[in-house]
Amino acid sequence: MSTHDSETTSDSQSTRERILAAAAEIIAEDGVTAKLSVRAVASRVGVSTGSLRHHFPTQQMLRDEVMQRVYDWVLPDSEIGNSAVPPRDRLVDCLRQVLAMTGAGPEARAAMDTVTATFIAVEQTEQVRESYLAMQRDGQRRVEEWLRVLAEEGALTDKSRIPQLARFLCSVLDGISLERALPAEDSLAQLETETLYVAADAVLNPQPRPAPR
């Protein structure tokens, strides 16, 4: 019987949580593009590299899980399941929560400076790529979860398009985040609201697409 086979469920869960905590500490110390090497994380936790690989077979799986936990902590619980509120309003509110993380004006510019310095104005190493994709996947996953809830209510009829629609909404958020960092009109908040509702309506009430010629 292997060490992993004899490990109790509670011990296994505890080890997994300690691994995630150690990886989060490394990211907090060195930034989101920090290298989560198996040896470094295992050493900080005090477990073997084999034990770490048992819980997280790849560095990418570990990074994805850490980033998911970070955003679970940062973002408030969404009201996407509150059926007392119209679906489009709930979806817009969830999108606004994500935008709130970037702030506005000076905060938005500082956030964009960080993104540029971390992911754009640097050598595009595999580590940088993996770090960015972990954040992107987590954003995509969250939006897909919101759309699945609405689909279960019947507010979104074509479940097969959820990944595509989530990607569209993430692109809308990226555009608004960038716009917030740029010189803008005083009425930007109103324009954002209109844009978010247009995006929500495009997802929840799609117009028939013309047949290809």
Side-chain angles (χ1 to χ4, degrees):
M1 179 180 293
S2 69
T3 303
H4 300 316
D5 292 334
S6 61
E7 192 176 40
T8 66
T9 301
S10 59
D11 288 341
S12 178
Q13 186 63 25
S14 174
T15 300
R16 180 182 177 85
E17 292 301 320
R18 288 190 292 120
I19 290 171
L20 289 169
E25 287 176 0
I26 292 174
I27 289 177
E29 294 167 4
D30 301 333
V32 294
T33 59
K35 184 177 182 180
L36 299 180
S37 72
V38 173
R39 189 177 299 277
V41 177
S43 175
R44 184 171 296 217
V45 179
V47 299
S48 67
T49 55
S51 178
L52 190 148
R53 289 290 193 194
H54 169 70
H55 292 281
F56 299 98
T58 67
Q59 290 185 36
Q60 191 64 65
M61 291 176 66
L62 174 57
R63 188 180 296 277
D64 284 351
E65 182 72 14
V66 171
M67 296 312 298
Q68 178 179 332
R69 295 294 184 90
V70 169
Y71 284 104
D72 282 343
W73 179 70
V74 173
L75 283 173
D77 292 335
S78 74
E79 293 292 322
I80 196 65
N82 183 5
S83 58
V85 178
R88 69 194 294 261
D89 292 334
R90 278 180 276 158
L91 182 55
V92 167
D93 285 343
C94 287
L95 296 173
R96 280 175 171 156
Q97 286 181 355
V98 176
L99 287 171
M101 295 176 61
T102 67
E107 289 182 347
R109 286 190 289 276
M112 194 56 61
D113 284 344
T114 299
V115 170
T116 300
T118 305
F119 298 113
I120 299 175
V122 296
E123 181 183 355
Q124 298 298 297
T125 63
E126 185 64 23
Q127 189 172 316
V128 169
R129 181 175 180 275
E130 288 179 357
S131 301
Y132 176 75
L133 291 178
M135 297 173 62
Q136 186 181 57
R137 279 191 292 268
D138 188 66
Q140 174 84 11
R141 175 188 61 82
R142 289 175 188 282
V143 179
E144 286 185 13
E145 288 177 355
W146 299 337
L147 296 183
R148 289 192 187 95
V149 171
L150 298 180
E152 290 300 321
E153 296 179 9
L156 194 161
T157 56
D158 190 352
K159 295 182 181 180
S160 67
R161 297 186 66 223
I162 285 178
Q164 176 187 356
L165 296 173
R167 178 63 180 161
F168 161 69
L169 291 175
C170 287
S171 295
V172 171
L173 291 175
D174 288 343
I176 292 178
S177 296
L178 175 59
E179 189 174 46
R180 283 187 170 196
L182 297 170
E185 300 178 16
D186 293 337
S187 59
L188 180 60
Q190 178 60 34
L191 294 174
E192 282 187 8
T193 297
E194 293 173 359
T195 300
L196 291 175
Y197 272 104
V198 168
D201 287 339
V203 168
L204 300 178
N205 303 296
Q207 299 299 312
R209 287 172 287 180
R213 296 182 179 179

